[in-house]
Amino acid sequence: MQVYGTELAGRFLLGTALYPSPAVMQEAFRASKAAVATVSVRREGAGSGAGMVFWQIIAGLGIPVLPNTAGCHSVKEAVITAHMARELFDTRWIKLEVIGNSDTLQPDPFGLVEAARILTGDGFQVFPYMTEDLVLADRLLDAGCEVLMPWGAPIGTGLGLLNRYALRSLRAHFPDVPMVIDAGLGLPSQAAEAMEMGFDAVLLNTAVAKAGDPVAMARAFALAIEAGVLARAADPIEPRDMAAPSTPVLGKAFLA
């Protein structure tokens, strides 16, 4: 998978929040073989003290970092946070979140497009967290985004892929655009399904970090993502309304 000209080592993007301890987080990342670590700039806070310790742990993972603008509810707030992230993490990548509803954490489509246009103009490589909306996707691509990150379900719910029809339509409408399912996954089977549908990667946090055993869950998601990629490449059979015998009847003996 390539994003903005960078080839990633895998298709699993994993968040760094909510773990019981930094040690568990590190173990979970090792088990996941994640290709990218996402990190909240707000949680990182400062470049010294506890914030610096946390950044050193993240840097020690040895994988690219994708900072995000989590918790931002306005264009101005998201743009300022993105500039802080670029200075702090020395990367042009930014996972852009502009939240429009506090209960569902649904993105604000109007603010998202505006912020994306500003940030791409400022030299950022934007990864927009979005709903599964074709028109919104088109506007974000026009704004300069080269990657799309539609949600499976609201953040932290674990509900999986709620709107399969819209997700399949989005994937089919933009076949050449890298797409990452971002948020709402709760089970490895849901990640496998996303890959079987043709998405390029998945991004999640809560499903691993809040599991009873985050390390085991991280490995489970890694295996599911691999299985989904292999299944997609194997050209699965189409669903049928009628049964089809796996054993041919030609040559079978019939008793009179």
Side-chain angles (χ1 to χ4, degrees):
M1 178 184 176
Q2 284 201 357
V3 291
Y4 291 107
T6 298
E7 185 170 337
L8 301 182
R11 298 175 182 271
F12 191 3
L13 289 69
L14 185 58
T16 56
L18 304 176
Y19 292 87
S21 70
V24 171
M25 182 193 73
Q26 290 172 297
E27 284 298 314
F29 266 85
R30 279 192 282 268
S32 72
K33 299 181 181 178
V36 174
T38 65
V39 58
S40 170
V41 177
R42 289 172 174 271
R43 190 160 77 93
E44 176 62 14
S48 60
M52 180 55 71
V53 172
F54 177 74
W55 166 230
Q56 290 170 348
I57 292 172
I58 299 302
L61 297 174
I63 57 178
V65 173
L66 175 60
N68 65 48
T69 62
C72 293
H73 288 74
S74 70
V75 172
K76 181 178 180 181
E77 191 178 15
V79 169
I80 291 173
T81 303
H83 279 273
M84 289 171 54
R86 182 162 63 180
E87 182 176 339
L88 183 61
F89 296 104
D90 191 26
T91 179
R92 295 168 62 198
W93 286 5
I94 190 70
K95 178 189 169 186
L96 179 61
E97 297 183 27
V98 182
I99 302 302
N101 183 279
S102 297
D103 292 329
T104 64
L105 300 181
Q106 180 171 326
D108 171 1
F110 309 103
L112 187 64
V113 172
E114 183 180 350
R117 196 176 303 279
I118 293 169
L119 290 172
T120 54
D122 288 343
F124 284 87
Q125 296 173 333
V126 179
F127 296 66
Y129 163 65
M130 56 176 286
T131 56
E132 67 280 46
D133 185 285
L134 282 174
V135 176
L136 175 57
D138 201 38
R139 297 294 186 273
L140 287 168
L141 294 173
D142 286 344
C145 298
E146 297 181 14
V147 180
L148 298 175
M149 302 182 72
W151 68 352
I155 295 172
T157 61
L159 292 172
L161 306 176
L162 288 183
N163 195 340
R164 289 168 174 80
Y165 170 79
L167 287 170
R168 288 194 180 97
S169 297
L170 184 67
R171 177 68 285 181
H173 200 78
F174 302 102
D176 299 323
V177 176
M179 289 192 194
V180 182
I181 291 293
D182 176 14
L185 301 185
L187 293 171
S189 57
Q190 297 162 355
E193 183 181 4
M195 305 310 293
E196 290 166 3
M197 289 169 65
F199 287 91
D200 298 283
V202 299
L203 190 159
L204 57 92
N205 190 164
T206 308
V208 168
K210 299 296 286 184
D213 186 340
V215 178
M217 188 61 78
R219 183 167 184 269
F221 268 101
L223 293 172
I225 291 167
E226 181 180 358
V229 171
L230 291 173
R232 174 75 176 184
D235 191 15
I237 64 170
E238 292 294 328
R240 295 170 52 99
D241 292 329
M242 298 291 291
S246 57
T247 303
V249 296
L250 185 65
K252 181 180 179 181
F254 290 92
L255 299 178

